């Protein structure tokens, strides 16, 4: 949460970015006391700031694929301008549920997320590797369908750059799926936001 003070200290603005569940769990008392909310921005539109702040050059067609625990979405920008976005069902929670369904046993959810964060999809366990292949093969086949639609609908020849990220940080191994199913080598979703933090990753 950051505080921005207008000229002559006339107003104080509280600006924060969070998920709905976090608001319910951590800020319920604050929400009850808040008289109004000025603006709600859908997550895909937040990427516009990457261009406005000149963190990324607004040249060509860029595709961002992003996973949160409750949602996943793909968003396209052309020359720094928003073009199209689509929510997809493959949230990290969905991936977790699919993984448990394939294995036939309930894996500890925190261990699962920790494994994705630290080990990624390149597991030394062959069975685990095959399970991830089934799930993420489906994810990227779906993304390929979205890419085909996007190119036809908006008369675009192709995607110049692909960025893949998640609320857990970079998930090792996703790049192989992007190359295989999309023919694209993804860039890491690791931008210099110029935010002073001790965290290794800024979501």
């Amino acid at each position: 949460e950051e505080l921005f003070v207008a000229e002559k200290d006339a107003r104080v603005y509280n600006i924060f970015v969070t998920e709905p569940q976090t608001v319910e769990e951590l800020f319920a008392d604050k929400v009850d006391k808040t008289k109004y909310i000025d603006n709600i921005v859908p997550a895909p539109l937040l990427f516009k700031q990457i261009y406005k702040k000149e963190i990324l050059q607004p040249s060509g067609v860029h595709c961002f694929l992003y996973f949160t625990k409750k949602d996943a979405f793909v968003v396209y920008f052309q020359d720094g301008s928003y073009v199209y976005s689509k929510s997809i069902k493959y949230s990290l929670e969905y991936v977790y549920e699919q993984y448990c369904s394939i294995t036939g046993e309930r894996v500890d959810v925190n261990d699962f997320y920790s494994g994705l964060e630290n080990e990624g999809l390149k597991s030394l366990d062959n069975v685990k590797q095959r399970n991830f292949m089934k799930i993420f093969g489906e994810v990227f086949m779906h993304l390929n369908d979205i890419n085909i639609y996007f190119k036809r609908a908006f008369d675009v020849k192709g995607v110049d750059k692909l960025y893949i990220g998640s609320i857990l940080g970079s998930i090792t191994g996703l790049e192989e799926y992007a190359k295989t199913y999309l023919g694209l080598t993804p860039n890491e979703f690791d931008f210099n936001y110029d935010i002073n933090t001790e965290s290794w990753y800024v979501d």
Side-chain angles (χ1 to χ4, degrees):
E1 184 176 316
E2 298 179 25
L3 296 179
F4 294 92
V5 182
E7 285 183 16
K8 299 180 182 176
D9 298 336
R11 295 180 183 178
V12 175
Y13 296 90
N14 295 299
I15 299 174
F16 59 92
V17 178
T18 185
E19 292 190 359
Q21 184 179 356
T22 305
V23 172
E24 292 169 11
E25 291 176 357
L26 300 179
F27 304 111
D29 59 329
K30 300 283 190 286
V31 171
D32 289 339
K33 295 175 186 174
T34 302
K35 295 181 180 172
Y36 56 85
I37 297 174
D38 291 313
N39 193 19
I40 296 175
V41 180
L45 298 184
L46 293 172
F47 291 87
K48 179 72 178 170
Q49 296 304 313
I50 295 174
Y51 299 102
K52 278 190 175 179
K53 299 292 183 183
E54 299 182 349
I55 295 169
L56 195 58
Q57 291 304 308
S59 176
V61 176
H62 297 165
C63 173
F64 301 89
L65 172 62
Y66 201 79
F67 300 89
T68 72
K69 289 185 179 177
K70 298 276 184 192
D71 186 30
F73 59 88
V74 59
V75 57
Y76 297 86
F77 279 81
Q78 184 169 23
D79 298 329
S81 296
Y82 169 83
V83 180
Y84 176 73
S85 62
K86 182 171 179 60
S87 180
I88 58 177
K89 66 181 178 181
Y90 303 99
S91 66
L92 294 176
E93 282 187 1
Y94 179 86
V95 169
Y96 166 72
E97 292 296 336
Q98 289 296 104
Y99 183 85
C100 291
S101 176
I102 291 171
T103 60
E105 61 178 298
R106 204 79 184 156
V107 180
D108 181 81
V109 67
N110 293 322
D111 289 345
F112 180 79
Y113 290 146
S114 179
L116 277 181
E117 190 175 352
N118 299 314
E119 188 181 50
L121 308 180
K122 293 189 172 184
S123 175
L124 297 175
D125 182 335
N126 288 334
V127 175
K128 194 174 183 181
Q129 181 90 16
R130 281 197 301 272
N131 293 338
F132 278 138
M133 286 174 71
K134 287 178 189 174
I135 297 167
F136 283 95
E138 185 182 324
V139 172
F140 279 86
M141 278 194 291
H142 185 64
L143 185 57
N144 187 50
D145 290 342
I146 294 171
N147 265 348
I148 290 168
Y149 166 78
F150 168 73
K151 287 189 284 188
R152 286 181 185 160
F154 296 95
D155 194 25
V156 173
K157 289 183 180 178
V159 173
D160 297 304
K161 289 186 178 178
L162 170 66
Y163 295 89
I164 302 177
S166 85
I167 199 167
L168 301 175
S170 178
I171 299 175
T172 305
L174 281 178
E175 62 276 4
E176 297 301 323
Y177 291 87
K179 289 175 189 174
T180 302
Y181 290 91
L182 306 175
L184 293 167
T185 301
N187 298 276
E188 282 202 31
F189 203 97
D190 186 17
F191 303 109
N192 180 14
Y193 301 108
D194 198 24
I195 295 174
N196 187 15
T197 178
E198 293 180 3
S199 175
W200 71 275
Y201 176 71
V202 178
D203 174 60

